[in-house]
Amino acid sequence: MSVSGMRLTGGYGAPALGLVASATLLAWLLPREGFVADKLVVALVALGCVWLLWSRTQRTNRTLARFVAALRHRDLAQSFRTHGQGAALDELGAALDDALKHLRDERLASLAENRFAAALVDEAPTPLLAIDAQGKVSLANKAARRLFHGSDGRGAADFAIYGEDFAAALAEMAPGMRRSSRVLWNGLAQRAVLAASLVDRLGQPWRVVAVHIIQGELDAAELATQSDLVRVLTHEIMNSLTPVTSLATSAARLVARADAGDASAIASARLAIDTLSKRAAGLSNFVESYRAFSHSPAVSLQRFAVGPWIGELLRSFAAMPQGAGVRVTLSLQPEALELVADPHLLGQVVLNLLKNAGEAARDHAEAPGVAIRIVPGEAGRVHLTVADNGPGVPHALREDIFLPFFTSKQHGTGVGLSFARQIVLLHKGVIGLCADEGEGGRFEVVI
């Protein structure tokens, strides 16, 4: 039975019928003389029926008022079911309970869907920032909280610590816009793409800015392109160089066999061919070293103690020409720090950085020094910094130093830093130059 179609039976029917009957009988008795006692009884019966109707109407009103209050306060645990109160009241209570059960089921389904959506947002790998109409920024998921430390409610200008351009983008980006920017992460400038969208939250417009860190993908794509280029070039060069080297070596042997020492022309030819043979062999070795760059080494991850590992690397550096006379300081915190990486490949990265730092310091400072610092970072990562008191890297070269074959040294090969970046990327880490020109060199690796 619906509330609107309630039948006048049971709880309301008997009093209503009694009232109609008693009122009819009373109307018939009143014009007649006598029947005083009868009139009084019938009147009392009519009043009794009125009282029953009024009390049950009040009970219904209280039930409906309690139902409305339960809806207003979102208290869906109330129960309105009754027994023995009359068919109308019992059916009303059952109908209200069914309505609350339907609302409870809808609420549970909505909560489950909201929890699912919230979990998707919170676990999304892309940092999400929610910005209200007043420009206050909320960190909308775990990725954002890892990248941007602090609390909600900061203004866009407060994000200038992650880059002036990034803070300006947060303040200026309209919904639907995409913009490239740089974000300072772990002290290193990372290229990122920002995308803004508009959402409605409790009737208020909010901008949601997704921060896509693409530095790793760009570096990986760049390395892949460079490796492909090197592979093609070295293949073509070796195809042409191999017969030249072979012929030069054979010619050197033949001329040496024919040279008796009494023909100056043959002696000159022998000297020229010997030089050609040596230069061809040197060029062949040179190309082979670049060919190795185009093949990514296999990474074998393992957990190891940093202290003994870095101690061995520093002893190796001290025995190298670049480390002679260079004062090395080590800061390792905590001393029991452990790292998950390939100790051999990462060791080559550190040795390359130490050699570069030692050369820069020896050529510039009266008391050359190199400082290495290893400390834990966010999300289980480790920061490894190698700094020197050399002249630093000129601004004009900062974007080129990690390119393969680029070098500012007279006898450099340009492979060291390119190889270092390749190894760090294989570890899902980042490497960058942190110091400005004139402050010495300071390279930071985050693994």
Side-chain angles (χ1 to χ4, degrees):
M1 184 202 78
S2 66
V3 175
S4 60
M6 190 183 303
R7 298 188 304 271
L8 292 176
T9 58
Y12 290 92
L17 291 175
L19 177 60
V20 171
S22 60
T24 302
L25 181 59
L26 183 62
W28 182 80
L29 288 173
L30 283 176
R32 289 167 174 75
E33 295 183 2
F35 303 102
V36 176
D38 295 330
K39 293 177 182 178
L40 181 60
V41 170
V42 172
L44 290 175
V45 170
L47 289 175
C49 291
V50 169
W51 180 85
L52 284 175
L53 285 173
W54 178 84
S55 64
R56 292 183 181 183
T57 301
Q58 289 296 99
R59 188 182 305 167
T60 300
N61 291 341
R62 286 195 297 271
T63 300
L64 292 175
R66 192 158 60 93
F67 177 76
V68 172
L71 294 181
R72 182 184 301 116
H73 297 291
R74 296 177 175 83
D75 181 9
L76 304 184
Q78 292 279 356
S79 176
F80 298 91
R81 193 176 299 276
T82 61
H83 298 284
Q85 299 294 320
L89 291 176
D90 290 348
E91 289 182 13
L92 173 63
L96 296 180
D97 274 4
D98 289 342
L100 288 184
K101 180 179 182 302
H102 181 70
L103 291 176
R104 282 196 300 270
D105 292 342
E106 284 190 343
R107 171 185 280 186
L108 291 175
S110 178
L111 288 175
E113 189 65 24
N114 288 340
R115 283 195 296 269
F116 177 71
L120 283 180
V121 171
D122 204 42
E123 297 297 336
T126 300
L128 299 175
L129 302 177
I131 308 173
D132 65 14
Q134 288 71 43
K136 298 301 182 182
V137 182
S138 298
L139 308 180
N141 62 354
K142 291 179 181 177
R145 292 189 288 273
R146 284 194 296 265
L147 183 59
F148 306 107
H149 311 296
S151 58
D152 294 341
R154 292 179 289 172
D158 297 325
F159 283 78
I161 58 174
Y162 304 103
E164 295 288 346
D165 181 60
F166 176 70
L170 287 185
E172 299 168 2
M173 286 186 67
M177 286 182 58
R178 292 177 67 88
R179 174 171 169 174
S180 62
S181 179
R182 285 186 178 270
V183 180
L184 290 177
W185 176 70
N186 286 322
L188 300 176
Q190 301 289 294
R191 282 173 284 187
V193 172
L194 311 184
S197 58
L198 182 67
V199 298
D200 181 83
R201 183 181 184 185
L202 301 178
Q204 298 294 322
W206 284 68
R207 286 182 299 136
V208 175
V209 178
V211 184
H212 304 273
I213 304 293
I214 59 173
Q215 186 69 56
E217 289 80 357
L218 289 176
D219 288 342
E222 184 180 331
L223 278 177
T225 302
Q226 293 167 356
S227 296
D228 290 341
L229 178 61
V230 170
R231 189 177 298 112
V232 171
L233 290 177
T234 54
H235 176 74
E236 295 301 324
I237 292 172
M238 288 302 294
N239 283 345
S240 300
L241 186 60
T242 299
V244 173
T245 305
S246 178
L247 289 173
T249 303
S250 299
R253 285 199 303 268
L254 292 173
V255 172
R257 193 180 304 164
D259 183 15
D262 55 355
S264 59
I266 293 181
S268 298
R270 178 183 180 185
L271 179 61
I273 292 175
D274 281 342
T275 303
L276 174 62
S277 176
K278 291 177 182 178
R279 292 304 301 160
L283 184 57
S284 178
N285 292 332
F286 179 77
V287 173
E288 283 292 348
S289 68
Y290 285 113
R291 175 182 284 179
F293 171 80
S294 64
H295 299 282
S296 298
V299 175
S300 177
L301 297 178
Q302 55 184 281
R303 180 177 292 276
F304 58 91
V306 174
W309 171 77
I310 193 63
E312 181 180 344
L313 293 177
L314 292 180
R315 287 191 292 272
S316 298
F317 172 65
M320 296 177 176
Q322 297 89 341
V326 177
R327 181 174 178 269
V328 179
T329 59
L330 170 64
S331 174
L332 173 61
Q333 298 175 352
E335 294 184 358
L337 181 65
E338 293 187 337
L339 179 61
V340 177
D342 187 315
H344 305 295
L345 291 178
L346 190 59
Q348 293 183 53
V349 172
V350 175
L351 279 178
N352 278 332
L353 294 177
L354 288 172
K355 287 161 60 178
N356 289 343
E359 288 181 354
R362 284 167 53 106
D363 295 341
H364 179 75
E366 293 183 1
V370 172
I372 183 166
R373 180 173 179 265
I374 309 175
V375 295
E378 298 292 332
R381 291 179 174 265
V382 171
H383 293 241
L384 189 153
T385 306
V386 177
D388 61 68
N389 59 354
V393 179
H395 281 288
L397 304 181
R398 293 173 71 90
E399 298 294 330
D400 300 329
I401 56 175
F402 289 102
L403 294 176
F405 321 135
F406 175 85
T407 180
S408 59
K409 303 175 186 177
Q410 184 176 0
H411 302 292
T413 63
V415 173
L417 286 177
S418 298
F419 177 78
R421 183 175 67 162
Q422 187 179 25
I423 297 304
V424 171
L425 287 176
L426 288 174
H427 283 80
K428 309 299 182 185
V430 292
I431 181 173
L433 175 65
C434 301
D436 291 329
E437 184 176 358
E439 296 181 354
R442 187 170 80 251
F443 288 86
E444 182 161 356
V445 177
V446 181
I447 296 292

